[in-house]
Amino acid sequence: MNLKTKAVFFDLFETLVTEFSNGKRQSDRSYNYLELLGLEKEDFKKEWHSRQLKRMTGIFSNYPAVLKDISENRSLNFNDESVQYLYQERIKEKREPFLNIRSDLLELLESLRNKQIKIGLISNCTEEEVRYFHESKLAPYFDSIVFSFEVGIAKPDVDIYQLACERLSAAPEQSIFVGDGGSNELEGAKLAGLKVYHAVWFNTYIESTFKKINHPHELLKEIVE
């Protein structure tokens, strides 16, 4: 017997908003890291990615804190002016995805709300990445928002899904998770007991064994009323 759907949880980036256009990142990030930080671009990327979990779980409070740690690790001079420049550029870059929300996604959220289904957000993110979320057209639809850097837990840790369910008083077995599949989020949601769907309307490059949703409206067929 299928239980009535009580809540739907969404991933944010590449599920509700996208940073890409025609397969390419909208921001070219063509910064001269060697000049600004004293580090070659590829070396910076390695250092940046090695701090992924600490960034997502708020161990680093903000972007400058990450760059300071990289500078100390590499015994580089910390140039506050350069760091602040990169920080402000990143904030501007992360604002772009929230400026134009797809109308079919807003229609989906409206339909879920009309069905009296609770709507939650579970996002692996840092503070500057979601600074403009609350100003976007998405924000009013959400009953609960779980940002990883605020709660100190990141997908695919089952605890973040369980926390999200608790906040909406929804049992995992009565809940749906929808995401593009980054960070092994779909597998984590399944382990937490949620019903899982793979959103491919933005990102078609991640493979999974979960049922794919090609268009936001298709999700409505999966709702049990």
Side-chain angles (χ1 to χ4, degrees):
M1 176 181 173
N2 287 330
L3 295 174
K4 180 181 178 180
T5 303
K6 191 169 184 179
V8 176
F9 296 95
F10 291 91
D11 168 48
L12 179 55
F13 291 101
E14 308 315 315
T15 301
L16 296 175
V17 299
T18 184
E19 296 186 272
F20 294 83
S21 178
N22 297 319
K24 293 183 179 180
R25 188 177 290 275
Q26 293 172 14
S27 170
D28 59 12
R29 296 183 177 176
S30 56
Y31 306 119
N32 189 333
Y33 291 104
L34 185 60
E35 182 179 310
L36 292 165
L37 302 176
L39 204 59
E40 294 283 358
K41 183 177 182 179
E42 288 307 311
D43 288 332
F44 173 77
K45 286 169 66 176
K46 288 177 185 175
E47 294 284 358
W48 178 255
H49 290 302
S50 72
R51 290 162 174 78
Q52 172 85 359
L53 184 59
K54 289 183 177 180
R55 290 190 292 110
M56 293 300 115
T57 54
I59 291 174
F60 292 114
S61 60
N62 54 32
Y63 183 79
V66 181
L67 299 195
K68 184 176 182 180
D69 191 67
I70 291 173
S71 295
E72 290 176 351
N73 185 61
R74 289 279 187 146
S75 300
L76 302 170
N77 291 325
F78 184 78
N79 186 321
D80 188 63
E81 186 176 332
S82 295
V83 169
Q84 287 303 317
Y85 164 74
L86 288 170
Y87 186 30
Q88 295 306 314
E89 287 297 306
R90 184 167 174 81
I91 288 170
K92 286 191 286 186
E93 170 191 327
K94 295 300 180 179
R95 182 172 183 255
E96 292 300 314
F98 297 107
L99 296 178
N100 296 295
I101 309 298
R102 270 178 49 167
S103 60
D104 54 0
L105 286 165
L106 295 175
E107 289 166 6
L108 168 61
L109 296 173
E110 185 70 33
S111 295
L112 292 173
R113 188 161 66 177
N114 289 340
K115 291 177 181 291
Q116 323 246 297
I117 292 170
K118 294 181 179 180
I119 305 173
L121 186 71
I122 309 174
S123 176
N124 280 5
C125 57
T126 57
E127 61 88 17
E128 80 278 0
E129 292 176 330
V130 292
R131 188 172 292 191
Y132 291 98
F133 170 80
H134 293 288
E135 296 179 16
S136 75
K137 292 181 179 179
L138 292 169
Y141 289 98
F142 285 85
D143 300 296
S144 177
I145 296 163
V146 178
F147 289 147
S148 64
F149 78 94
E150 290 184 335
V151 299
I153 317 166
K155 296 177 288 187
D157 190 325
V158 295
D159 287 348
I160 198 168
Y161 307 94
Q162 291 169 349
L163 173 64
C165 288
E166 288 169 8
R167 286 187 175 185
L168 290 186
S169 300
E173 58 268 23
Q174 289 182 289
S175 303
I176 286 173
F177 178 78
V178 184
D180 71 302
S183 303
N184 294 314
E185 62 183 357
L186 305 179
E187 291 79 4
K190 182 181 179 182
L191 284 173
L194 288 78
K195 194 170 184 180
V196 179
Y197 293 96
H198 186 173
V200 295
W201 49 75
F202 283 132
N203 181 358
T204 60
Y205 304 105
I206 296 176
E207 294 295 328
S208 86
T209 58
F210 297 97
K211 184 171 182 178
K212 292 179 173 56
I213 304 289
N214 295 289
H215 188 280
H217 289 163
E218 292 177 19
L219 182 65
L220 296 173
K221 301 174 185 175
E222 309 302 327
I223 302 297
V224 179
E225 297 186 71

